[in-house]
Amino acid sequence: MTFDSEQKALITKINKLKKAKNAIILAHNYQRPEIYEIADFIGDSLELCKAAEKTNAKIILFCGVNFMAESAAILNPDKKVIVPYLDAGCAMADMVTARGLKEFKKKHPKAAVVCYVNSSADVKAEADILCTSSNAVRVVKSLKEKEIIFVPDKNLADYVQKQVPNKKIIPWEGFCPVHHSLTKEYLMDVKKSYPKAKILAHPECRPEVLKMADHISSTSGMIGCARADKAKEFFVLTECGMTERLMRELPDKKFYGLCNMCFDMKKNTLPAVLDCLQTEKPVVRVDKKVALKAGKAFDRMFKVL
Ligand code: 13P
Ligand code: SF4
């Protein structure tokens, strides 16, 4: 990836300033390529949670979407967590509310509640345990309960159900529009156009799409799958930014992708990051009681790893 002189100057300025302020920049794999250049750590949701939990930095500047920055704030109550845009949301996370989940729990009183991290802090606080796309199967297997409420992603819930058939997964009917819009017919066309390419798919995709994939994994997991697979070409079924990330990690292989963008993930730009770092604003705040409850659900997840 090449950058123009303005971008290069911004990258240098941000990298200097973050050191001076003892700040760490955490970036999700879907961020713009220029954001990778100022990140101390790039990863999937689970890796970012772990990085946020471990850091000694005074300030965490999060380049991702809100639920990720909230997670960093829950895991670091004594640190300042800042983001360029407080309104960078996640459409799937917005499909479930704490009130809705409370009602759902009443209908299934024996079920344990597993909550995908793509959810608000309020919703996490209603869960018994959290999971990410890379550990959802392990998390569900670790529970003694036979019935599991799984929120908010119905596609990830279906994927888990197939891996853990001895449990009854009760899904919330949420989905990610970026992944759910990919149909079986679309994938059939892809396979015709790219006959040599192996298919890498995120478990937020529809079940019928996952059935046709060669590898199913979290965003960072895709790097390992593509590295281990002898194939030279891959078609990537997830948000389009992942193709950039894969090309950066494995320049000797070819990655094809789609134009399906998560606009909230792409809000962050270098000027916005610089402004956020200079002003140390806006700060991500989570209500203390909510953070305490959600923190317990995080702790249970970390014990499973
Ligand atoms: P990962 O945890 O696999 O990075 O997924 C996060 C996400 O938002 C996928 O759309
Ligand atoms: Fe949410 Fe989908 Fe965007 Fe991921 S890609 S942050 S699940 S809207």
Side-chain angles (χ1 to χ4, degrees), residues 18 24 26 48 57 84 129 143 165 167 208 220 243 249 293-294:
K18 74 175 183 190
I24 186 175
L26 303 181
L48 292 169
I129 187 165
L143 299 172
K167 300 217 186 242
E208 60 272 27
S220 288
T243 319
E249 293 299 317
K293 281 177 85 182

Side-chain angles (χ1 to χ4, degrees), residues 28 30 45 64-68 89-94 116 118 153 175-180 202 204 238-239 260-265:
H28 187 263
Y30 293 164
S45 308
V65 288
N66 261 352
F67 75 80
M68 296 177 174
C90 165
M92 170 158 61
D94 291 344
Y116 187 29
N118 294 39
D153 187 9
F175 59 89
C176 163
V178 175
H179 291 83
H180 198 67
H202 194 276
E204 287 175 17
T238 188
E239 202 266 350
N260 59 338
M261 197 177 272
C262 176
F263 291 102
D264 285 275
M265 278 282 183

Side-chain angles (χ1 to χ4, degrees), residues 17-54:
L17 188 59
K18 74 175 183 190
K19 276 200 191 107
K21 288 195 174 225
N22 190 13
I24 186 175
I25 301 186
L26 303 181
H28 187 263
N29 289 317
Y30 293 164
Q31 292 292 292
R32 295 164 186 263
E34 61 269 30
I35 297 291
Y36 298 159
E37 301 301 312
I38 47 119
D40 295 281
F41 188 82
I42 313 165
D44 66 14
S45 308
L46 182 61
E47 292 170 330
L48 292 169
C49 288
K50 284 188 192 161
E53 207 205 11
K54 268 196 231 145

Side-chain angles (χ1 to χ4, degrees), residues 25-231:
I25 301 186
L26 303 181
H28 187 263
N29 289 317
Y30 293 164
Q31 292 292 292
R32 295 164 186 263
E34 61 269 30
I35 297 291
Y36 298 159
E37 301 301 312
I38 47 119
D40 295 281
F41 188 82
I42 313 165
D44 66 14
S45 308
L46 182 61
E47 292 170 330
L48 292 169
C49 288
K50 284 188 192 161
E53 207 205 11
K54 268 196 231 145
T55 185
N56 291 321
K58 237 174 77 194
I59 299 172
I60 300 173
L61 193 161
F62 211 106
C63 291
V65 288
N66 261 352
F67 75 80
M68 296 177 174
E70 271 189 350
S71 299
I74 291 165
L75 295 167
N76 290 280
D78 302 327
K79 295 197 174 106
K80 196 184 234 186
V81 179
I82 52 175
V83 287
Y85 295 101
L86 272 180
D87 64 350
C90 165
M92 170 158 61
D94 291 344
M95 290 180 192
V96 57
T97 60
R99 193 199 253 189
L101 180 53
K102 272 185 197 163
E103 289 303 311
F104 202 58
K105 278 161 66 169
K106 280 184 201 157
K107 288 185 197 151
H108 307 282
K110 285 193 203 139
V113 179
V114 176
C115 179
Y116 187 29
V117 286
N118 294 39
S119 52
S120 68
D122 287 355
V123 169
K124 286 185 176 77
E126 289 301 318
D128 293 306
I129 187 165
L130 305 179
C131 75
T132 70
S133 61
S134 65
N135 66 15
V137 172
R138 258 177 295 150
V139 163
V140 168
K141 278 186 179 168
S142 77
L143 299 172
K144 62 177 190 322
E145 288 85 352
K146 283 269 178 245
E147 276 187 23
I148 313 285
I149 290 175
F150 194 98
V151 288
D153 187 9
K154 63 175 176 180
N155 291 335
L156 183 60
D158 183 87
Y159 173 71
V160 172
Q161 179 68 86
K162 288 186 173 118
Q163 312 294 313
V164 194
N166 61 328
K167 300 217 186 242
K168 183 183 172 202
I169 308 284
I170 307 161
W172 188 266
E173 288 297 307
F175 59 89
C176 163
V178 175
H179 291 83
H180 198 67
S181 60
L182 308 173
T183 60
K184 184 180 158 192
E185 290 70 29
Y186 173 78
L187 185 49
M188 274 153 61
D189 281 350
V190 163
K191 284 189 173 247
K192 269 188 218 147
S193 309
Y194 301 89
K196 287 194 202 142
K198 289 270 183 86
I199 308 294
L200 300 173
H202 194 276
E204 287 175 17
C205 292
R206 291 168 185 262
E208 60 272 27
V209 167
L210 293 183
K211 214 172 159 187
M212 293 165 72
D214 295 293
H215 300 280
I216 302 168
S217 78
S218 75
T219 55
S220 288
M222 287 179 180
I223 301 169
C225 293
R227 187 177 282 129
D229 196 312
K230 285 199 179 86

